[in-house]
């Protein structure tokens, strides 16, 4: 299951017409996992599907995922941070399945490493800016001490978030969450 999901996700990087058409068709066949609210055993599959579809030019499933599969569910909020921690190098222990995403204690990974990686990835791609904004919001909410420990990363993220808030069209949710990130980081610098 993990290999199949990862193969589909990686296939979304191939934007040649035939590959993109095949990948989009295959991913749209997995839309049933997108209907889940909050965390479920299919949460990681839904996340991979929505991010791959956004990469192929269809960001709406990722917007919906942020609103329905993340927002307001503590287990899903923890899952997104745990998932990012694995894929962005903050969790150094390989995982053989998705069970680690359910750890609501957010243990076993370095929050500062995750903040740095998320800050580097915050760019204005449709859908992805929403996912990164939400993840940064969740991280700073879970670890309120991070701005004081982040040093230059906090300054750079404050500047980048201000730029995105001023110059990029964002969903209402992304604007609110990125505004919170900017506020917390600005407060730290004063």
């Amino acid at each position: 299951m993990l290999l199949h999901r990862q193969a589909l996700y990686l296939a979304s990087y191939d934007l040649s017409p035939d590959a993109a058409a095949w990948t989009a068709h295959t991913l749209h066949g997995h839309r049933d996992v997108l209907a889940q609210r909050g965390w479920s055993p299919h949460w990681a599959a839904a996340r991979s599907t929505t991010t791959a579809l956004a990469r192929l030019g269809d960001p709406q499933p990722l917007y919906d995922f942020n609103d329905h599969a993340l927002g307001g569910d503590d287990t899903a909020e923890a899952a997104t941070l745990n998932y990012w921690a694995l894929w962005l190098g903050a969790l150094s222990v390989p995982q053989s399945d998705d069970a680690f995403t359910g750890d609501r204690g957010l243990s076993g990974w370095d929050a500062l490493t995750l903040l740095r990686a998320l800050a580097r990835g915050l760019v204005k791609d449709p859908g992805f800016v929403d996912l990164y904004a939400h993840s940064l919001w969740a991280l700073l909410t879970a670890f309120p001490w991070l701005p004081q420990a982040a040093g230059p990363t906090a300054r750079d993220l404050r500047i980048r978030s201000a730029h995105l808030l001023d110059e990029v069209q964002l969903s209402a949710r992304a604007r609110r969450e990125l505004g919170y990130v900017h506020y917390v980081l600005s407060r730290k610098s004063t």
Side-chain angles (χ1 to χ4, degrees), residues 16-103:
S16 64
D18 289 343
W22 176 85
T23 304
H25 173 75
T26 304
L27 289 168
H28 281 287
H30 292 89
R31 284 209 179 249
D32 57 320
V33 300
L34 304 181
Q36 303 286 324
R37 289 203 173 271
W39 190 89
S40 79
H42 304 290
W43 181 90
R47 185 187 187 284
S48 291
T49 299
T50 61
T51 56
L53 286 169
R55 183 170 294 105
L56 293 171
D58 183 6
Q60 190 60 49
L62 186 52
Y63 297 142
D64 295 341
F65 179 79
N66 284 339
D67 286 341
H68 304 300
L70 290 179
D73 183 291
D74 290 344
T75 303
E77 298 291 358
T80 199
L81 294 176
N82 291 328
Y83 195 83
W84 276 123
L86 175 69
W87 291 108
L88 296 179
L91 177 64
S92 59
V93 179
Q95 302 295 313
S96 60
D97 60 33
D98 294 325
F100 77 99
T101 64
D103 175 14

